[in-house]
C-alpha cells in the first residue's frame, strides 16, 4: 500500500474512533506485504489475503503472521474460475508477479499455457464475521468484486479502498466510482 494512502487511512480510522473489531480483506494481496502490514498494525483483527497467483500465495504462507488467513483465488460477482499465464508460477513471488501488470498485460492475454484459480463472492468468504476494511487491487475486476460483496457491504458498511487507473483506464475508473457512489460511498482520489 502506498505510504500516502496508508497515512490517509490511519487518519480516517482515527477520525471515526478507530477500526472496529472484525475482518480486514486485502484482495490482490500479491506477495502479502500489505496484508502483513495490516496484520501487524491491527493484531486483534483477522486479515484475509486473497491472491490468485500461486507463487505469491506460497510466499504469503511462508511469512504470514498468526492473525492472517490466505485464500488462493480472486473476488468476483459469483463463484467461478479464471486463469493467468502459467509463466507467472515460475517466477519468484513478489509484488511484480501480477496478473494485470500494465506493461505485460497484452502478453498475458495471449499466453497459451494457463493456471486456473477459483473466484469467490466476498459475501461468501466473510459470511461469519464483520467486514471492517476492504482493499481491492484486482486489476480491473473491481466492479465484479463489489457486486459479489454487495450483501456484506450493505450489512457492515466497511471502510473501502480500490486501486484504479483514472488516466490509463478511465472508463473502468468511472464505472468503479459510479458503482461506489451508488452503494452510498464518497470517493476520494489519493
Amino acid at each position: 500500500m502506498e505510504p500516502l494512502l496508508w497515512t490517509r487511512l490511519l487518519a480516517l480510522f482515527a477520525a471515526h474512533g478507530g477500526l472496529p473489531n472484525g475482518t480486514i480483506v486485502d484482495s490482490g494481496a500479491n506477495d502479502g506485504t500489505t496484508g502483513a502490514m495490516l496484520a501487524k498494525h491491527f493484531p486483534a483483527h483477522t486479515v484475509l489475503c486473497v491472491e490468485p497467483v500461486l507463487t505469491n500465495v506460497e510466499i504469503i504462507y511462508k511469512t504470514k503472521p498468526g492473525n492472517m488467513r490466505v485464500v488462493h483465488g480472486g473476488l468476483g460477482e459469483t463463484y467461478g474460475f479464471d486463469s493467468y499465464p502459467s509463466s507467472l508460477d515460475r517466477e519468484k513471488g513478489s509484488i511484480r508477479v501480477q496478473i494485470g501488470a500494465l506493461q505485460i498485460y497484452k502478453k498475458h492475454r495471449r499466453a497459451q499455457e494457463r493456471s486456473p484459480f477459483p473466484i469467490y463472492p466476498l459475501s461468501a468468504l466473510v459470511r461469519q464475521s464483520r467486514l471492517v476494511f476492504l482493499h481491492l487491487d484486482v486489476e480491473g475486476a473491481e466492479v465484479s468484486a463489489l457486486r459479489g460483496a454487495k450483501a456484506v457491504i450493505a450489512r457492515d458498511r466497511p471502510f473501502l479502498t480500490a486501486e484504479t487507473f483514472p488516466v490509463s483506464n478511465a472508463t473502468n475508473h468511472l464505472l468503479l466510482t459510479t458503482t461506489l457512489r451508488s452503494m452510498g460511498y464518497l470517493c476520494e482520489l489519493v
Side-chain angles (χ1 to χ4, degrees):
M1 182 176 294
E2 297 296 326
L4 181 60
L5 177 57
W6 179 241
T7 301
R8 178 69 183 111
L9 278 173
L10 291 177
L12 185 64
F13 297 158
H16 286 86
L19 189 62
N21 289 332
T23 299
I24 296 168
V25 174
D26 179 20
S27 183
N30 297 309
D31 64 358
T33 301
T34 295
M37 179 179 73
L38 290 163
K40 182 179 177 183
H41 196 81
F42 300 105
H45 294 71
T46 297
V47 176
L48 177 63
C49 291
V50 182
E51 171 58 33
V53 180
L54 191 55
T55 190
N56 283 338
V57 169
E58 291 168 354
I59 294 296
I60 298 169
Y61 270 115
K62 289 178 185 175
T63 60
K64 73 180 189 75
N67 61 328
M68 186 186 288
R69 290 182 25 228
V70 183
V71 172
H72 175 230
L75 296 181
E77 187 169 357
T78 60
Y79 288 101
F81 287 91
D82 204 341
S83 64
Y84 59 85
S86 296
S87 61
L88 293 179
D89 287 332
R90 293 186 284 278
E91 302 285 334
K92 181 180 178 187
S94 77
I95 195 72
R96 303 209 186 286
V97 180
Q98 299 182 44
I99 292 173
L102 291 177
Q103 68 273 23
I104 55 175
Y105 185 67
K106 287 180 184 177
K107 178 180 145 187
H108 283 190
R109 289 178 52 199
R110 293 189 305 264
Q112 298 290 323
E113 190 181 341
R114 312 286 300 175
S115 293
F117 63 91
I119 300 289
Y120 304 97
L122 182 60
S123 294
L125 295 178
V126 294
R127 186 177 321 193
Q128 303 295 324
S129 63
R130 180 179 180 193
L131 178 63
V132 296
F133 176 55
L134 171 61
H135 178 68
L136 293 172
D137 182 5
V138 292
E139 307 300 330
E142 296 83 11
V143 172
S144 179
L146 288 171
R147 288 179 181 148
K150 190 174 183 178
V152 76
I153 288 172
R155 180 192 75 192
D156 299 337
R157 302 302 298 162
F159 291 96
L160 194 151
T161 59
E163 294 192 24
T164 182
F165 300 95
V167 175
S168 62
N169 196 344
T171 302
N172 193 59
H173 174 77
L174 179 61
L175 181 58
L176 172 62
T177 56
T178 301
T179 301
L180 287 168
R181 286 185 181 109
S182 76
M183 298 173 88
Y185 279 86
L186 298 173
C187 297
E188 178 183 338
L189 186 61
V190 178

